[in-house]
Amino acid sequence: MTPVTEAVTPSASTTLDSLTPLLRAWLPRQRWFAGKGRPVTGFTPVAVTQLLPRGGRLDLFHVLLRVHQPPESAHPGDCYQLLIGAREALPPRLAPALIGHVTRGPLAGRTVYDALYDRRPAEVLLEALRTRARVGGLRFERDPRQEIRPHLVARMLAAEQSNSSVVYGDTFILKLFRRVVPGVNPDLELPQALAREGCPRVPAPTAWLRAELAEQPYVLAVLQPFVSGAADGWELALRELAKGEDFTAEARALGRATAEVHTALARALPTVTLGRAQLGPMVDGMTERLTAAVQAVPALGPYERGLRSAYTALAELAAGGRTWTAQRIHGDLHLGQCLRAPSGDWSLIDFEGEPARPPAERRLPQPTVRDIAGMLRSFDYAACSVSSAPARWAHDCRAAYCSGYAEVSGRDPRTDPVLLRAFETDKAVYEVVYEARHRPDWLPVPLSAIRRLAVSDPH
Ligand SMILES: Nc1ncnc2c1ncn2[C@@H]1O[C@H](COP(=O)(O)OP(=O)(O)O)[C@@H](O)[C@H]1O
Ligand SMILES: O=P(O)(O)O[C@H]1O[C@H](CO)[C@@H](O[C@H]2O[C@H](CO)[C@@H](O)[C@H](O)[C@H]2O)[C@H](O)[C@H]1O
C-alpha cells in the first residue's frame, strides 16, 4: 500500500481549474448532486489535497468544491466532496466513473474519473484511517479501541444514494458525504452517542475523516462495521409483498428497534418540553415547507387547504395547553435505513437527517413521532409500489410497527393522532418534492398519501 503523501499544493488548485468544463457537465448528472434543475455557473475550490505522489500511474486528489448556482444572493453555493483520479486511460471496468478527458493544464492528456469507484484509491483512504494520517487539512481519525486490519479489499457499493459508500472486505463500510457542511455531523454524533449507551441497534463508528477549513470543522466520512449478509427493510418488504407474505412480525420488530434507539438517544442527549411557544415555530416550518412544495410541484395545489388543516389542528392542541417531549431522533427513518442481519437482528443506519434540511435544523430535538411517521410512510410506499399488494398490507404493518414501538417504549404513537397526522403530512410533502426532483416516476406514490392525508380527520 502506497502511503498517503503530505501535500496540499497551490498547483493542485491550478490542476482543478483545467477540469472545470468536465466537472460542469459531470456533476449535475450525479444522483447525490442536490442542485438539480439549476444551471452551474462556476466553481470555487475550497480545498484540494493531493493524496498520492504526482507523476505515477495514478494521480489522486481529494477535492472540496463550492458549486455556484443561481440565485447567488440567496445561497453561497453547496460544497461537494470528490475523490478525483487521473490515469493515462481508464480500464473498461471504470467506464461508469468517467468524468472526462483533460485537454489542458498539468493533467493534459490524462483521463479523470470518480476514484471512489476504483479499488486502489479507496484503499488509500482506509489505510489513512488505519494509520491515523494527517494530510494537509485532512485528519484521518480512529477510535483507539477499534482495530482496522491492513490490506482489506475495497468495493464500491452499487446503490448510489445521497452519499457514496465503499465496503472493505465485508468488514467495514465507509460513507463519504457528498454535500458537506461545517459543524457537527449527526451521522457521526448520534451513532457515537448510541455506542456510548451500549445500544446494539446501530453500528458503532470505527473511524472518521475530519477537516479543519477556514477555522470551520467538517466531518467528511465515517467508517463503521459492515453488517455482512444483511438485507435492508425495503428489499425485504418488497420481496415478501411479491410473494403475498405477511410482514407484520418484521414490522413489529422494527417498531421495537426504533423504540430502543429512541430510548437510548433520550438517555444520551438532552430532551426538551415543547409547549405552545416551541410548537409554533415547528408548525410554521411545516407550513412553509408546504407552501414551497406547492410552488415546486403544482400537482399538490388542490390539496393544500386540506393538508394545512393537519397543521392547524396541531397548533390548536398546543394553544389549548398540550405539551410534548422532544429529543434527538434519526430524522429520515424509512425501510431503506433498516438492515436485518442474517441473525434476524435489526440495525438502523444513516443518521444524517433529511438531506434537504438545513444542518442546524437537523440536530434540533424533535418529537419521536417524526421518525415513526417516516416508517409508517415507508410501509405505504412499499404497498404502493407492488401492484399485487394485498389491500390491508400497509395498514397491518403500520399497526404492528406501532404495537412493537409501544411494547418497548410504553407509548403507542396512535394515541396522539393529531401529532401523527401532522408529521405524516410533513413527510409526505417532503417526499413529493424529493420524488419530483430525483425520481419523477415515483411521484404518484406520495401523491396517493397526500390525497388521504388532505381529507383525513383524526378525531
Ligand atoms: N453498517 C452497514 N452494514 C451493511 N450495509 C450498510 C451499512 N451501512 C450502510 N449500508 C448500506 O449502504 C447503503 C447506503 O448507506 P446510507 O447510510 O443509507 O447512505 P446514504 O446517505 O447515501 O443514503 C445502505 O442502503 C445499505 O445498503
Ligand atoms: O436514503 P436517503 O437518505 O438517500 O433518503 C432519501 O432517499 C429515499 C429514497 O431512496 C427517500 O425515501 C423514499 O423512498 C423510499 C423507497 O425508495 C421509501 O421507503 C421512503 O419511505 C420514502 O420516503 C427519502 O425520503 C430521501 O430522504
Side-chain angles (χ1 to χ4, degrees):
M1 172 66 51
T2 315
V4 171
T5 57
E6 185 64 36
V8 181
T9 55
S11 73
S13 208
T14 322
T15 304
L16 193 70
D17 280 349
S18 61
L19 305 186
T20 299
L22 302 176
L23 290 172
R24 198 179 288 231
W26 177 80
L27 259 177
R29 294 201 309 267
Q30 305 313 301
R31 164 82 196 269
W32 39 261
F33 183 72
K36 291 201 176 70
R38 287 179 292 140
V40 172
T41 50
F43 297 121
T44 311
V46 176
V48 183
T49 310
Q50 200 175 303
L51 291 180
L52 285 176
R54 277 298 306 278
R57 245 168 31 94
L58 169 69
D59 284 317
L60 187 60
F61 301 96
H62 177 276
V63 177
L64 291 172
L65 191 66
R66 196 165 297 290
V67 178
H68 302 289
Q69 296 188 276
E72 295 274 343
S73 53
H75 196 259
D78 289 324
C79 182
Y80 288 92
Q81 178 173 209
L82 314 175
L83 192 66
I84 297 183
R87 292 168 172 258
E88 290 301 331
L90 277 195
R93 70 186 160 81
L94 291 177
L98 175 73
I99 296 177
H101 306 286
V102 190
T103 52
R104 63 186 175 88
L107 293 177
R110 299 205 126 197
T111 301
V112 289
Y113 67 108
D114 182 350
L116 262 191
Y117 279 90
D118 195 0
R119 251 183 68 180
R120 175 137 175 271
E123 289 167 10
V124 166
L125 294 182
L126 186 70
E127 184 61 6
L129 290 168
R130 194 181 77 78
T131 56
R132 301 197 204 156
R134 285 179 160 226
V135 194
L138 302 179
R139 304 277 175 273
F140 294 86
E141 297 175 353
R142 170 167 63 78
D143 176 347
R145 291 159 307 181
Q146 297 194 52
E147 288 297 320
I148 300 174
R149 256 192 313 120
H151 310 303
L152 290 172
V153 174
R155 75 181 154 86
M156 172 91 182
L157 263 199
E160 270 295 300
Q161 303 194 319
S162 303
N163 299 292
S164 300
S165 298
V166 184
V167 176
Y168 296 96
D170 270 7
T171 307
F172 294 110
I173 179 165
L174 177 72
K175 167 145 102 172
L176 194 100
F177 300 105
R178 287 303 195 163
R179 188 159 61 112
V180 297
V181 285
V184 178
N185 184 328
D187 213 3
L188 178 60
E189 179 197 21
L190 296 186
Q192 276 181 330
L194 289 162
R196 281 196 298 276
E197 286 298 319
C199 175
R201 294 286 144 251
V202 174
T206 307
W208 44 89
L209 170 58
R210 286 186 203 277
E212 192 73 30
L213 300 164
E215 292 174 24
Q216 301 250 54
Y218 288 78
V219 172
L220 300 174
V222 176
L223 183 81
Q224 55 170 249
F226 183 68
V227 184
S228 187
D232 75 45
W234 176 251
E235 286 167 42
L236 279 175
L238 291 194
R239 205 187 297 162
E240 299 305 299
L241 258 170
K243 290 192 289 189
E245 295 283 337
D246 175 64
F247 196 66
T248 52
E250 296 298 359
R252 181 180 292 262
L254 280 166
R256 296 180 65 93
T258 309
E260 279 181 57
V261 168
H262 281 165
T263 307
L265 284 175
R267 272 199 313 264
L269 296 161
T271 62
V272 294
T273 300
L274 301 180
R276 188 182 184 166
Q278 296 76 21
L279 211 78
M282 190 170 273
V283 171
D284 289 349
M286 290 174 169
T287 309
E288 281 161 23
R289 284 191 287 279
L290 174 60
T291 307
V294 171
Q295 270 172 12
V297 187
L300 271 178
Y303 308 103
E304 186 176 0
R305 241 183 83 203
L307 298 173
R308 220 172 269 277
S309 73
Y311 306 149
T312 45
L314 181 58
E316 279 163 21
L317 274 192
R322 262 298 295 274
T323 59
W324 291 267
T325 301
Q327 63 161 85
R328 297 298 299 281
I329 60 166
H330 180 283
D332 188 19
L333 198 56
H334 56 80
L335 281 164
Q337 317 280 37
C338 308
L339 299 180
R340 196 186 68 183
S343 63
D345 285 344
W346 284 97
S347 300
L348 307 191
I349 55 164
D350 196 3
F351 283 74
E352 210 191 354
E354 279 173 8
R357 290 217 188 197
E361 202 181 301
R362 295 193 218 164
R363 293 186 59 232
L364 289 177
Q366 306 265 336
T368 48
V369 155
R370 206 172 129 212
D371 280 347
I372 294 163
M375 284 298 288
L376 299 184
R377 289 286 314 116
S378 213
F379 293 118
D380 200 43
Y381 249 75
C384 278
S385 43
V386 174
S387 54
S388 59
R392 288 186 60 83
W393 192 92
H395 173 272
D396 292 349
C397 286
R398 289 160 60 101
Y401 178 80
C402 290
S403 301
Y405 190 91
E407 281 160 18
V408 170
S409 70
R411 291 185 315 274
D412 191 320
R414 289 167 294 187
T415 57
D416 200 348
V418 174
L419 189 69
L420 193 54
R421 178 182 170 220
F423 276 97
E424 237 198 293
T425 302
D426 192 41
K427 182 73 188 182
V429 167
Y430 165 84
E431 288 168 342
V432 165
V433 177
Y434 180 89
E435 302 301 4
R437 193 172 290 161
H438 297 279
R439 307 185 295 193
D441 292 354
W442 287 62
L443 197 48
V445 176
L447 277 177
S448 72
I450 290 289
R451 279 190 285 276
R452 172 174 58 83
L453 289 158
V455 293
S456 82
D457 181 352
H459 296 295

